[in-house]
Amino acid sequence: AAVSVAAPAAQPGAVPRVASIFYYPWYGTPATDGAWVHWGQNGHQPPDDVAAAYYPARGLYSSSAADVVQSQMDQIRDAGIDEISSSWWGKGSPEDQRLGLVVAAASRDSVAVAAHIEPYPGRSVASVAADVAYLRGFGIHTFYIYRAFDFAPSDWAPVLDALHKQSVTVFAQTGLPGL
């Protein structure tokens, strides 16, 4: 027997809801990356004491391991998440080096990838504009800017106007929650 359930009709002009989460491909292990990366920050001593609120059920992992990233994307898909915003610390960073792996794994699970542009050393409004152009090469069109207030809103205005004309979506901190 087949059962069909009709989805509720969308309201005219309604914006589709997207469930999005932040994703942090920061972690490394001695076996894969040559050292404990991120697990030991702030004085923690892996493998028993880690810089995380919870110890991973599957144990400490490397964000460079394709099987780990694919398993995480499978879990994200199964949880009904539509999009991840992957932490990105600039060209050449470990997160940049892992981005292709993240995008490929997410794509296999039909999970969209956005970039969470972090306040990497030397970041400027102009460098963020260049970063967006670079990251679009990975098929990314949605960007979250962490600590946007490091620069004046007047500095952002022309860059954001240009990006919006390119069908790029940018989210940034605001001092005006709820607006």
Side-chain angles (χ1 to χ4, degrees):
V3 177
S4 176
V5 178
Q11 297 295 325
V15 176
R17 293 182 187 217
V18 174
S20 185
I21 62 170
F22 289 97
Y23 179 78
Y24 297 91
W26 292 349
Y27 300 96
T29 62
T32 303
D33 305 286
W36 292 112
V37 180
H38 204 77
W39 294 112
Q41 74 177 24
N42 299 325
H44 290 274
Q45 298 294 314
D48 297 322
D49 174 32
V50 297
Y54 302 99
Y55 198 90
R58 295 182 180 180
L60 302 186
Y61 60 86
S62 169
S63 297
S64 296
D67 61 327
V68 168
V69 175
Q70 189 62 62
S71 176
Q72 291 171 336
M73 292 305 139
D74 294 346
Q75 292 174 327
I76 287 167
R77 176 208 57 221
D78 291 348
I81 304 301
D82 303 300
E83 176 189 75
I84 62 164
S85 182
S86 190
S87 176
W88 189 79
W89 285 85
K91 287 183 186 177
S93 68
E95 296 77 19
D96 181 47
Q97 294 169 3
R98 295 172 178 144
L99 187 57
L101 175 66
V102 170
V103 168
S107 177
R108 284 190 284 277
D109 281 328
S110 299
V111 173
V113 177
H116 185 209
I117 300 177
E118 304 278 6
Y120 59 80
R123 187 181 80 167
S124 66
V125 172
S127 72
V128 170
D131 295 336
V132 167
Y134 166 75
L135 292 166
R136 287 188 70 194
F138 287 91
I140 297 172
H141 300 282
T142 303
F143 300 88
Y144 294 78
I145 311 298
Y146 185 65
R147 286 186 23 201
F149 284 143
D150 286 354
F151 308 100
S154 59
D155 294 340
W156 284 110
V159 170
L160 293 176
D161 288 343
L163 292 175
H164 290 151
K165 289 176 184 172
Q166 300 170 32
S167 298
V168 169
T169 301
V170 178
F171 294 98
Q173 289 169 286
T174 179
L176 306 170
L179 294 181

